[in-house]
Amino acid sequence: MPSLKTRAPRASRSAQLVEITDLSAGLDLRRSPTLVAENRARVMRNFALSEPGALVVRPGYMAFSSNSLGSLRIQGGQRAYLASTQISLVAYDGAVYELRDAGNINSTAVYSTISPTNPVFFPYDRTLVAVMDGANRPRKSTDGISWQLMGLDAAVSASTLSSVAGGSLSASEFEVSFSYKDRGLAHESNISTFLSTRLLGATGALHVEVPNSTDPQTDAIVLYARNKTAGETVLRKVSSAAVQGGLSSTYRITSSGWSANDEAPTNHNAPGAYEFGVVWKNRWWAKSNVVGNRLHFTELFQPQSWPTLFYIDIPFERGDEITALISQGDTLLVFGQSKVFLIIGQTSLDFEVRPSAGAQAGCLGPRAVEVIEQGVLHASAEGLFVFDGASDKLLSFDMEPAWRDLVRNSASTALSVVDLVYEFKNKEVRVAVPRVYPRGSRGELVLDLNRTRETETPAWTDTDRDIVGYLHLDGDEPVAGNRGRLLSWPSSGGRVFEESTGTTANSSNMTAEYEGPHVSLGLHRARLITVRGEYEPHAGALTIEPVLDEVSQGSQSVSIGAGIAQYGSAVYGTALYGGSGRRMFANMQPLGAEGRTAWMKVTYSGQEAFRMFTYSMEIVPESAVRTFSD
């Protein structure tokens, strides 16, 4: 079993080395500092855990968009993958903008009638991308550039019927209605709310005059009719024809051979003002903006048809409501703040709603959930969990003080926009939070999955990035190098940044901080003689700060410049010293550097991928325990 603390020194008159040989196992904030394992840390900011045995400054970030939309916060963003189109969309100040792959935001909005303050979401399938803001009826687009109302409204006026000769309709009473149609998407509205009736006194035809729709996406009109005299009870399709110019279109019904045709649609209702949605089992699902626990869904294969009675009221307890939706295989997970319900569907036609007995917590908000390696990550007030379909596993155990600080000191509105993304390129889970312990400012909590597998303990670090949302290019990307790119936006300013690229903080210095485990010297006071460390030469500034009994020995500069001679490049005469690009520093400490606990802080500031491999403290303990109080 591994030790929970660094190797304690022996009482001796001779100097001893206390070595920290691996710095890359991540944060441990739960244990007392003197019980932290030697390969873990109390502070690890802007360092990555991607290279076991080395503390590496994490990759930097750069401004992706060359222009800014303004000083406000971006409301939401999405990379949408349609059948033949990939497009990035962002919502800002009540409008939708295209984020071009070339690295600029189109300054002209592609759509401009959404809430200027609500979070905005862009659910999509292979055909459509929609914009949902919880305040307005969704709009939809097939290319991300041209936008129209989602769904078609039924006509509120009836058609005008008249009798004409030249047809084979019998002398009977006929009832006629019509619907509007978008042929491009094969979507049809409900039939008119008013029906037209005409009695033919002899064999003939019906002349139908239909009021045209004011919705520009309507390009056809579908006629429906029934023979009331013959006892027909259902309106069935007669024909479909293009819309004619002017205020109305005219058509003629000459035959009544419609008995086997489609019934008139009565459940193609337009959608309401939904907050957010997902696509699952060939249907769209969305949260109601009126009833917090109500989940609406569409007709099968009809993303624009939202029947009035097609909804499920999730039986949450304690006044809870839907906070997030995510699909995984045959299951749609519906999260509340404190509970999870599963909607299980073997097919697209039958569904079963079940509470999840094994789930321990819910989800903070719509973006705080992610599918990962046959599990679902969800950030809740209780911590970060991974749900495997049956039970939850807590991943934030070692970050418990940080998570408690986050939940206790953040407003509910701030917690509801916590964003979580799985950056598969670097095998990291990144959680953008409004408060990182102990600084109390915005940043990220980062879980390295590769290091977690190796240590069998969640390996955490954090960053000082001001992020409130991510936009991940995780689909079919025809352009080489695009797949896996991660974009983000900050808490203020209408600009987008690209994460995990380069070695700078948008052309400025990266600042990385580390505080190692606290070495307990027990009852024996000891004097710190020298601090040694092994590093890879780079440009930038490295400082160390030894601390004994919480008394700093001052910030001490270490020369790490790239111009320093190193093994593998230093020449003596005609011989070249062999070796690798590593060097060692040794800093003598002040005479007053003594105490019963010792630890070290390390800070790097620069624009290169600096590495530090190990460090050690040379100490001389007292040979005997003092016999008086101090």
Side-chain angles (χ1 to χ4, degrees):
M1 180 178 294
S3 171
L4 290 179
K5 60 180 180 180
T6 56
R7 178 171 60 83
R10 302 179 304 277
S12 171
R13 294 180 181 274
S14 59
Q16 303 169 44
L17 283 181
V18 177
E19 298 180 86
I20 310 296
T21 57
D22 180 9
L23 318 179
S24 61
L27 289 166
D28 186 349
L29 304 181
R30 196 182 63 85
R31 294 181 175 88
S32 168
T34 55
L35 290 180
V36 173
E38 65 177 82
N39 59 354
R40 309 193 77 184
R42 296 291 295 174
V43 174
M44 191 172 287
R45 186 157 304 120
N46 292 333
F47 278 114
L49 310 179
S50 55
E51 186 177 325
L55 202 58
V56 187
V57 176
R58 70 177 300 105
Y61 61 92
M62 293 292 292
F64 179 79
S65 55
S66 57
N67 59 321
S68 172
L69 294 172
S71 60
L72 301 177
R73 175 191 298 185
I74 289 176
Q75 298 169 260
Q78 181 67 54
R79 180 70 163 183
Y81 296 93
L82 307 179
S84 58
T85 303
Q86 304 82 31
I87 189 166
S88 297
L89 301 167
V90 294
Y92 176 85
D93 195 21
V96 177
Y97 295 85
E98 177 194 2
L99 178 62
R100 293 170 174 165
D101 290 357
N104 66 300
I105 304 176
N106 188 351
S107 58
T108 302
V110 294
Y111 179 67
S112 58
T113 310
I114 59 175
S115 167
T117 56
N118 290 356
V120 175
F121 299 87
F122 297 93
Y124 65 93
D125 60 16
R126 284 184 59 83
T127 305
L128 303 176
V129 57
V131 55
M132 294 183 179
D133 63 359
N136 298 286
R137 177 173 160 184
R139 261 59 175 178
K140 59 107 176 34
S141 175
T142 57
D143 58 7
I145 305 299
S146 176
W147 294 79
Q148 302 86 28
L149 279 170
M150 193 173 191
L152 292 174
D153 291 314
V156 294
S157 57
S159 57
T160 302
L161 304 182
S162 58
S163 304
V164 294
S168 60
L169 294 180
S170 61
S172 302
E173 183 180 11
F174 293 92
E175 192 171 60
V176 177
S177 188
F178 64 95
S179 67
Y180 296 130
K181 185 173 184 179
D182 175 2
R183 285 179 167 175
L185 294 173
H187 175 64
E188 200 176 328
S189 74
N190 283 335
I191 57 173
S192 171
T193 54
F194 295 96
L195 305 179
S196 303
T197 303
R198 184 73 179 182
L199 177 64
L200 293 184
T203 301
L206 285 174
H207 178 81
V208 186
E209 185 172 341
V210 178
N212 288 337
S213 172
T214 57
D215 190 337
Q217 61 185 316
T218 299
D219 55 10
I221 290 175
V222 185
L223 296 179
Y224 293 88
R226 71 183 178 107
N227 188 333
K228 296 178 66 176
T229 304
E232 294 178 358
T233 59
V234 177
L235 289 161
R236 294 190 178 275
K237 182 177 178 179
V238 176
S239 64
S240 175
V243 172
Q244 301 166 11
L247 297 177
S248 61
S249 300
T250 58
Y251 308 98
R252 185 162 294 185
I253 301 176
T254 59
S255 172
S256 60
W258 53 62
S259 60
N261 293 349
D262 295 336
E263 294 184 19
T266 57
N267 61 356
H268 290 194
N269 302 73
Y274 306 132
E275 292 189 15
F276 53 87
V278 298
V279 179
W280 177 68
K281 287 290 182 181
N282 302 309
R283 300 176 192 265
W284 284 48
W285 304 72
K287 180 196 174 184
S288 168
N289 69 324
V290 178
V291 183
N293 68 326
R294 180 163 293 176
L295 184 63
H296 292 270
F297 58 95
T298 67
E299 273 281 9
L300 184 62
F301 297 116
Q302 296 186 39
Q304 300 189 74
S305 298
W306 299 78
T308 304
L309 298 179
F310 277 32
Y311 66 82
I312 300 171
D313 284 339
I314 306 299
F316 286 120
E317 303 169 353
R318 293 173 287 182
D320 210 347
E321 64 178 44
I322 298 170
T323 58
L325 301 169
I326 195 165
S327 61
Q328 186 187 33
D330 288 335
T331 305
L332 177 65
L333 283 74
V334 184
F335 288 90
Q337 286 284 354
S338 56
K339 197 167 186 178
V340 182
F341 276 82
L342 311 179
I343 301 179
I344 301 172
Q346 296 294 334
T347 70
S348 300
L349 300 173
D350 62 316
F351 304 104
E352 182 178 357
V353 180
R354 297 180 183 175
S356 174
Q360 302 177 40
C363 192
L364 294 172
R367 296 190 175 102
V369 63
E370 180 75 286
V371 173
I372 175 174
E373 299 178 2
Q374 304 306 312
V376 174
L377 289 169
H378 56 108
S380 69
E382 293 82 356
L384 180 70
F385 293 85
V386 58
F387 182 68
D388 62 6
S391 61
D392 267 334
K393 178 182 178 181
L394 181 64
L395 298 178
S396 58
F397 181 69
D398 293 329
M399 299 291 289
E400 195 68 16
W403 207 273
R404 294 282 72 76
D405 176 77
L406 165 68
V407 175
R408 185 181 303 114
N409 296 291
S410 300
S412 60
T413 51
L415 292 175
S416 67
V417 294
V418 166
D419 203 343
L420 185 156
V421 69
Y422 170 45
E423 189 183 9
F424 57 80
K425 182 174 66 174
N426 293 321
K427 296 297 183 290
E428 288 182 339
V429 175
R430 302 173 64 157
V431 188
V433 293
R435 181 182 177 91
V436 174
Y437 176 85
R439 303 190 320 275
S441 56
R442 300 201 69 93
E444 295 174 298
L445 304 177
V446 182
L447 177 65
D448 188 295
L449 297 183
N450 283 340
R451 197 70 172 106
T452 295
R453 288 189 183 94
E454 291 181 351
T455 61
E456 298 184 355
T457 302
W460 288 92
T461 181
D462 66 53
T463 80
D464 59 4
R465 294 285 291 117
D466 175 9
I467 293 176
V468 294
Y470 297 104
L471 193 156
H472 199 196
L473 279 63
D474 59 353
D476 180 17
E477 294 287 349
V479 178
N482 267 0
R483 182 168 170 81
R485 297 175 77 179
L486 180 64
L487 310 181
S488 68
W489 60 89
S491 59
S492 62
R495 198 170 188 183
V496 176
F497 293 84
E498 182 170 2
E499 301 296 314
S500 301
T501 183
T503 57
T504 71
N506 195 27
S507 300
S508 298
N509 285 348
M510 289 281 290
T511 300
E513 302 172 52
Y514 164 87
E515 179 184 320
H518 295 198
V519 178
S520 174
L521 306 178
L523 298 178
H524 298 267
R525 291 181 67 88
R527 179 169 177 258
L528 179 62
I529 306 298
T530 309
V531 173
R532 295 180 174 88
E534 189 179 18
Y535 64 94
E536 182 180 80
H538 280 279
L542 178 70
T543 58
I544 64 170
E545 182 184 356
V547 182
L548 287 92
D549 287 355
E550 300 189 11
V551 177
S552 172
Q553 303 307 306
S555 181
Q556 304 170 16
S557 178
V558 178
S559 179
I560 59 166
I564 297 176
Q566 56 184 289
Y567 287 114
S569 63
V571 178
Y572 181 76
T574 59
L576 179 69
Y577 283 109
S580 59
R582 297 193 180 199
R583 287 183 62 87
M584 189 186 78
F585 67 84
N587 280 32
M588 296 294 294
Q589 299 304 304
L591 290 176
E594 63 174 35
R596 289 193 175 89
T597 57
W599 63 94
M600 193 167 77
K601 299 179 181 179
V602 176
T603 302
Y604 170 79
S605 178
Q607 301 186 22
E608 296 189 11
F610 171 76
R611 287 171 170 80
M612 185 165 176
F613 303 103
T614 182
Y615 70 89
S616 62
M617 293 179 284
E618 183 182 16
I619 65 172
V620 179
E622 292 178 334
S623 58
V625 178
R626 297 187 181 185
T627 57
F628 56 88
S629 302
D630 52 354

